[in-house]
């Protein structure tokens, strides 16, 4: 069975602070992908990043960075110099093959509500 | 580029009324298509998926049904809505090859009254 845990339900920071969102996962697959999505108040799920289990190189994209550690089954997400527009719910997700083809179900964490205060 | 359209954005329907939500994808062919529901409290639940025209699989038994009449069209339906059908419905598409990128539509907020 697959499981994604986001232990932080809500985080509140002041603008320009750095913030890290935690994600811990469980899977029996030897190769797998992990995703992060952002859900602003409008509701749309916005794709942020996809990583595969072969690539543990940490990645930086502008103010965003990701720390993938297979040994601890963690895929954490950091926002540097947070802005008010970063306020949203952030989801970590793990795909699971559900058909003989390529269909995959995303197992989502429960999400972390990030509020950035001005 | 690929885009996904979902409508309507919001819907208020009385109990017992029918439902039809539509999702279309542009710029790709033979995508895998999905319907998810997000109830209050954030959890996202997979309702249906489709790997081809006319091929529908259900993950959770419920009052809803889905159809895929065309390659890039996915429809979520109900003959009689229940109060418990209220929620935020998200359509998504995924490439069958190359990678497993998953793109969501903008969602439909359904309130059953």
């Amino acid at each position: 069975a697959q499981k994604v845990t986001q232990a932080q339900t809500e985080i509140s920071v002041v603008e320009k602070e750095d913030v890290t969102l935690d994600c811990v996962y469980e899977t029996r697959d030897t190769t797998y992908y992990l995703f992060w999505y952002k859900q602003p108040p409008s509701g749309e799920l916005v794709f942020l990043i996809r990583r595969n289990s072969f690539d543990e190189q940490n990645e930086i994209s502008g103010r965003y960075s990701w720390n993938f550690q297979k040994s601890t089954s963690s895929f954490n997400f950091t926002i540097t110099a947070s802005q008010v527009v970063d306020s949203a719910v952030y989801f970590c997700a793990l795909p699971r093959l559900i058909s003989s083809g390529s269909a995959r179900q995303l197992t989502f964490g429960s999400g972390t509500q990030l509020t950035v205060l001005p | 580029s690929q885009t996904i359209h979902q409508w309507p954005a919001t819907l208020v329907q009385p109990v017992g009324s029918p439902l039809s939500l539509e999702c279309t994808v542009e710029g790709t062919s033979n995508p895998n298509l999905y319907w998810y529901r997000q109830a209050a409290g954030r959890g996202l639940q997979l309702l249906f998926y489709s790997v081809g025209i006319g091929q529908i699989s259900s993950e959770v038994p419920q009052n809803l049904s889905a159809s895929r009449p065309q390659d890039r069209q996915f429809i979520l339906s109900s003959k009689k809505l229940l109060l418990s059908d209220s929620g935020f419905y998200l359509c998504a598409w995924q490439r069958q090859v190359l990678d497993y990128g998953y793109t969501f539509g903008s969602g439909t907020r359904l309130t059953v009254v």
Side-chain angles (χ1 to χ4, degrees):
Chain A
Q2 299 202 147
K3 187 177 179 181
V4 177
T5 302
Q6 293 180 254
Q8 304 152 306
T9 304
E10 297 182 14
I11 297 177
S12 185
V13 299
V14 177
E15 202 170 21
K16 297 185 182 177
E17 289 184 355
D18 299 346
V19 57
T20 295
L21 309 181
D22 299 333
C23 173
V24 175
Y25 62 92
E26 296 176 25
T27 180
R28 294 180 180 174
D29 294 343
T30 53
T31 61
Y32 49 89
Y33 282 89
L34 288 159
F35 298 84
W36 273 97
Y37 286 89
K38 172 183 178 180
Q39 188 174 40
S42 61
E44 182 178 0
L45 273 172
V46 179
F47 169 78
L48 294 177
I49 190 172
R50 176 187 66 249
R51 300 304 303 273
N52 75 52
S53 55
F54 283 111
D55 184 3
E56 292 194 60
Q57 183 176 0
N58 293 326
E59 181 169 335
I60 297 174
S61 176
R63 296 187 298 109
Y64 297 164
S65 62
W66 289 270
N67 185 355
F68 176 37
Q69 294 193 346
K70 201 171 179 179
S71 60
T72 57
S73 297
S74 65
F75 185 39
N76 297 335
F77 170 42
T78 298
I79 302 174
T80 303
S82 60
Q83 301 175 0
V84 173
V85 293
D86 295 327
S87 297
V89 180
Y90 290 83
F91 290 95
C92 182
L94 176 64
R96 175 178 70 91
L97 187 66
I98 51 174
S99 73
S100 58
S102 60
R104 289 173 185 263
Q105 174 180 2
L106 286 182
T107 299
F108 287 88
S110 54
T112 298
Q113 170 70 61
L114 173 64
T115 302
V116 181
L117 303 170
Chain B
S1 64
Q2 300 87 14
T3 56
I4 179 169
H5 303 279
Q6 189 179 341
W7 68 94
T10 59
L11 195 58
V12 179
Q13 292 284 96
V15 169
S17 64
L19 172 74
S20 180
L21 303 181
E22 190 162 342
C23 171
T24 59
V25 181
E26 295 178 357
T28 188
S29 59
N30 201 28
N32 291 333
L33 297 172
Y34 304 83
W35 280 108
Y36 279 80
R37 176 169 61 197
Q38 185 177 31
R42 304 183 205 155
L44 285 119
Q45 179 185 43
L46 177 63
L47 302 176
F48 299 95
Y49 68 93
S50 171
V51 299
I53 296 174
Q55 301 178 57
I56 308 296
S57 297
S58 173
E59 285 293 296
V60 181
Q62 59 222 316
N63 184 42
L64 303 168
S65 62
S67 62
R68 185 170 177 174
Q70 299 179 42
D71 181 45
R72 289 168 289 179
Q73 184 184 29
F74 204 24
I75 298 171
L76 182 69
S77 305
S78 173
K79 292 182 179 178
K80 289 185 178 181
L81 284 168
L82 306 171
L83 286 173
S84 57
D85 292 323
S86 293
F88 190 55
Y89 290 82
L90 288 154
C91 179
W93 76 273
Q94 173 219 339
R95 291 181 183 86
Q96 290 205 17
V97 294
L98 296 180
D99 61 31
Y100 300 107
Y102 225 96
T103 303
F104 286 87
S106 54
T108 296
R109 197 166 301 280
L110 171 67
T111 304
V112 183
V113 296

